[in-house]
Amino acid sequence: DAMRQAAGGAESQGNAALEELNRATRRIEDARNAGIDEGVRQLAETAAELEQRQRSIAEDVRRMQGTSGAERAEQLRQLAERKDGLSGDVERLERDADQLARDGRRDQPGAARALGEAAETLRDQRVRDKIQFSKTVMRGGSPEYANSFEGQIADNIAEAGENLREA
């Protein structure tokens, strides 16, 4: 009889331990999902900020078109620096979206797909290349083409941001 009680006690202890492991697993998965959700939110905010920076650059390119000489040269230099910074930040956004998509593929496949689409949008539309090329366009292209090109870059970043907000 004592052996049966001991066996029953061991079984209940085993069940309690298994239940505790299951609860711990759920807490870890919940924390991972919360981390992915927070990462998506941060990436969406970053995309909105990058879009705003690009729209500000586009406005400054429009304003610069009426200048000449040393003033124009200084504005071109400053705009080129801002574009280089923006290009690096777009590259970081693309890389971070890819990483978060990989991290979330198992637990949040829908969000992972949207994150992958955002990174793919930036790659497919060659946003970083456009930013770099736009430095040449603003130096010597027609004002209409420069304005159109700057708007296109902002729209491309906005599209990636929309994909992130949908995640």
Side-chain angles (χ1 to χ4, degrees):
D1 221 21
M3 287 184 68
R4 275 191 218 132
Q5 283 182 338
E11 183 179 335
S12 68
Q13 285 178 338
N15 286 338
L18 180 61
E19 183 56 38
E20 184 57 34
L21 281 173
N22 287 335
R23 280 194 297 272
T25 300
R26 280 192 299 276
R27 285 192 303 270
I28 290 169
E29 287 174 0
D30 290 346
R32 184 181 309 129
N33 288 338
I36 291 170
D37 290 345
E38 177 61 19
V40 168
R41 187 191 62 71
Q42 288 176 353
L43 288 177
E45 286 177 8
T46 298
E49 186 256 327
L50 295 178
E51 178 191 355
Q52 185 56 44
R53 282 173 50 196
Q54 172 55 32
R55 293 201 186 279
S56 174
I57 288 170
E59 183 57 36
D60 290 347
V61 167
R62 273 190 278 291
R63 274 192 241 129
M64 179 198 62
Q65 291 167 357
T67 65
S68 62
E71 180 185 4
R72 180 177 175 85
E74 178 59 21
Q75 288 177 346
L76 283 168
R77 187 191 64 72
Q78 289 175 1
L79 284 166
E81 284 179 9
R82 289 169 60 197
K83 285 179 169 290
D84 287 341
L86 181 68
S87 179
D89 290 345
V90 166
E91 180 179 18
R92 205 168 2 273
L93 177 66
E94 179 184 319
R95 186 179 57 241
D96 291 350
D98 276 333
Q99 180 62 50
L100 199 54
R102 282 191 298 276
D103 293 348
R105 205 160 269 134
R106 187 184 67 128
D107 296 322
Q108 293 187 2
R113 186 180 66 260
L115 285 162
E117 288 171 4
E120 205 57 38
T121 295
L122 294 170
R123 263 190 302 279
D124 287 351
Q125 295 180 349
R126 301 182 64 184
V127 175
R128 287 182 294 135
D129 292 340
K130 286 179 182 177
I131 293 169
Q132 292 303 314
F133 181 69
S134 70
K135 292 190 300 188
T136 302
V137 171
M138 74 178 179
R139 279 177 171 45
S142 76
E144 295 82 18
Y145 182 59
N147 293 339
S148 173
F149 203 68
E150 295 295 335
Q152 185 181 70
I153 293 168
D155 292 344
N156 292 159
I157 295 171
E159 183 179 340
E162 182 60 35
N163 288 340
L164 290 167
R165 283 185 291 283
E166 290 173 4

